[in-house]
Amino acid sequence: MSVFRLPETVQAAILRNMSAYDIINTSFTSQTSKRIIRSYRYCISRPRFIIQIAPEMSRECIQIRNVDTDGTVLGQWIFHRSCKRPYKMDHIEEEEAVIRYSTPYEEVPTTHISSSHPTKTCKALLIHFRSVFRKMEFDVTFNGVVLTNEYLKQWRYLSLATSKLSFDCCFLDRKFNRAFLQFIQPNQEISIEDGEMDIRHAINAKKFTMNQAEYFNPEKFALYKAPHMDFPMDGISSFDFFLYIEQWIEGDHPKLKMVTRYGDKQRWSQFYKKCEKWTGGPRFHESEFGRFDCSNGYDIRSEDGTLGTFITDEEEELTRFVVWPKTH
C-alpha cells in the first residue's frame, strides 16, 4: 500500500521518522508524492547536509550528504557530468538529468545524478530541498577549485544558506579578494586548508581557521577579525601570535573571544612576563565552540580592563588565549 493512501496523521508520522535522503527520493517518484510531501514541510525536522564541490570536469564533481546529528551519513547524492541524453530524462525542478539509484556505496545509500550541467542541476536540487524542508543546515567544502568572480557568483546562493564554509586546496588570486569577502558571511565558520589563497583584506566571520602558510605574514594576521580563530604551528610563528595578543592589550580586535595556536605549548610563558597565574580554584570558559578548563591559566588584562587568559593543553600541544566577558 502507498504511504500516501494512509490517513494524514499517519503520513505525517511516517515522514517525521524518515531521513531527508529518503524523503527527497520519495518525492521524485511522482508528481503526487512531491505535492503531498511539500504539504508537510512544517512537520519535518531540520535536516543537515554536507556538500563537497570539486571542479566540474571531475568524475564526481559534487556530493551532497545527508548526515544525522552524530555525523552518520544517512544517504548521498553524487553528481556526474555527462553529455549523453537518453530517450527518457528525469526532471529536478526545471532541469533535466538522469537519476540512478544504486546499491550502497561504501555502505551509504547513494543516488547518482548525471547531467550536462551539474552545477545547474545541483542548484535545482537545492531549490527542491527548500520546497520540502522549512529549515536546513549546510556545511560546504570547495575542493581544488579556482575562485574567480564568476565562480563565486554562481555559488553565492549557497553561501547565503551555509553555516560552515571550507576551502581545501583552492586558489584565490588577490584581484578577486573583494568578491571573496562578499561571498563569506559574518555568521559563518570559515576554514582554509592548504591551497594558495592570497587574502589581503579583513575577514569578518564567526570563526576562522587557517591551515596554510602560503602568503601569510604578521601584517595579514592583524586583518583577521573573527571572534574565534585557530592556527596550526606552520601557519603563524609564536612571535606573530603574541604580537596579535599585544594588539588586543592595546585595544585592537575588540571582538576577539578566543585564538588558538597549535605547537610550542610553553613558549608563551617565556615570551610574556606580565601574566599572573590564577590561584582562585576551578574555573571554566564556555562558548558555542566548547568548554575549556582555565583553572591553571595565566591572566592578563587589556588597557580597558578586559580579562584574558592563556591556557595550554599538553595532549594537543596547543596554546589557547581566551577573553572573558567584561563582568570578570
Side-chain angles (χ1 to χ4, degrees):
M1 177 186 290
S2 170
V3 170
F4 303 113
R5 293 178 182 270
L6 299 171
E8 291 185 1
T9 53
V10 178
Q11 292 179 23
I14 291 174
L15 289 172
R16 278 196 293 268
N17 286 280
M18 291 172 64
S19 69
Y21 175 80
D22 289 332
I23 290 172
I24 290 296
N25 284 353
T26 301
S27 73
F28 290 153
T29 57
S30 69
Q31 290 297 323
T32 300
S33 62
K34 181 189 296 185
R35 176 178 54 79
I36 294 175
I37 286 175
R38 284 177 171 175
S39 70
Y40 287 107
R41 67 192 302 259
Y42 290 92
C43 302
I44 301 172
S45 62
R46 182 174 186 167
R48 181 171 172 237
F49 301 98
I50 296 177
I51 304 176
Q52 292 184 313
I53 302 170
E56 192 162 277
M57 296 305 294
S58 304
R59 182 173 177 272
E60 298 179 356
C61 53
I62 303 172
Q63 292 185 9
I64 302 179
R65 294 185 177 128
N66 173 213
V67 297
D68 206 350
T69 53
D70 61 358
T72 302
V73 181
L74 304 173
Q76 64 182 351
W77 297 269
I78 299 179
F79 291 77
H80 308 268
R81 188 175 187 273
S82 175
C83 295
K84 296 180 180 180
R85 287 184 59 85
Y87 176 74
K88 183 179 180 180
M89 298 285 285
D90 301 301
H91 285 82
I92 302 176
E93 298 298 316
E94 300 301 322
E95 291 294 317
E96 292 185 326
V98 177
I99 301 175
R100 179 169 56 87
Y101 307 98
S102 69
T103 55
Y105 176 71
E106 296 181 350
E107 300 184 352
V108 176
T110 302
T111 299
H112 296 273
I113 300 176
S114 300
S115 73
S116 57
H117 298 287
T119 301
K120 291 182 179 179
T121 310
C122 176
K123 182 176 182 178
L125 181 60
L126 295 174
I127 291 172
H128 183 59
F129 282 5
R130 190 171 295 280
S131 72
V132 174
F133 307 111
R134 188 167 62 93
K135 292 184 178 180
M136 298 169 284
E137 293 182 17
F138 291 107
D139 297 348
V140 179
T141 298
F142 291 91
N143 195 332
V145 301
V146 178
L147 303 170
T148 62
N149 285 351
E150 183 179 350
Y151 189 86
L152 293 168
K153 184 178 180 180
Q154 72 178 352
W155 287 109
R156 180 166 171 76
Y157 76 93
L158 183 57
S159 169
L160 295 173
T162 299
S163 57
K164 295 181 181 179
L165 271 176
S166 299
F167 301 89
D168 190 356
C169 297
C170 294
F171 177 83
L172 175 70
D173 190 279
R174 62 183 179 182
K175 66 183 178 182
F176 300 126
N177 270 202
R178 188 175 299 276
F180 178 74
L181 295 177
Q182 292 173 348
F183 186 75
I184 62 178
Q185 306 300 314
N187 62 337
Q188 291 173 337
E189 298 177 38
I190 308 297
S191 176
I192 297 177
E193 306 275 346
D194 298 322
E196 298 181 15
M197 296 186 63
D198 189 1
I199 301 171
R200 306 240 172 168
H201 299 283
I203 288 181
N204 185 18
K206 182 168 66 173
K207 182 178 181 181
F208 182 59
T209 301
M210 168 72 86
N211 286 325
Q212 69 162 29
E214 191 78 21
Y215 299 116
F216 197 90
N217 59 49
E219 289 75 20
K220 289 184 184 178
F221 190 19
L223 295 175
Y224 301 139
K225 306 295 185 182
H228 295 80
M229 297 188 292
D230 286 346
F231 295 92
M233 183 168 55
D234 294 335
I236 59 172
S237 69
S238 297
F239 178 81
D240 299 337
F241 177 80
F242 294 108
L243 179 61
Y244 194 84
I245 304 303
E246 283 188 340
Q247 293 171 345
W248 173 81
I249 292 172
E250 293 171 358
D252 291 337
H253 318 305
K255 295 182 180 180
L256 182 64
K257 295 181 180 179
M258 182 183 304
V259 57
T260 304
R261 180 181 184 272
Y262 294 84
D264 301 335
K265 60 181 182 296
Q266 291 297 337
R267 187 171 295 182
W268 69 268
S269 60
Q270 302 171 7
F271 184 90
Y272 219 92
K273 305 295 184 182
K274 298 180 181 180
C275 300
E276 296 183 4
K277 183 173 176 58
W278 170 260
T279 57
R283 63 173 178 171
F284 295 86
H285 185 280
E286 296 188 20
S287 74
E288 60 185 298
F289 298 105
R291 186 171 186 260
F292 303 98
D293 188 353
C294 300
S295 304
N296 296 314
Y298 287 76
D299 294 345
I300 193 167
R301 290 190 180 274
S302 66
E303 291 181 354
D304 67 0
T306 304
L307 178 66
T309 300
F310 285 102
I311 55 178
T312 59
D313 188 315
E314 295 185 1
E315 292 184 1
E316 297 187 32
E317 295 190 355
L318 60 82
T319 301
R320 179 174 284 118
F321 181 75
V322 301
V323 178
W324 299 87
K326 291 187 180 294
T327 53
H328 280 68

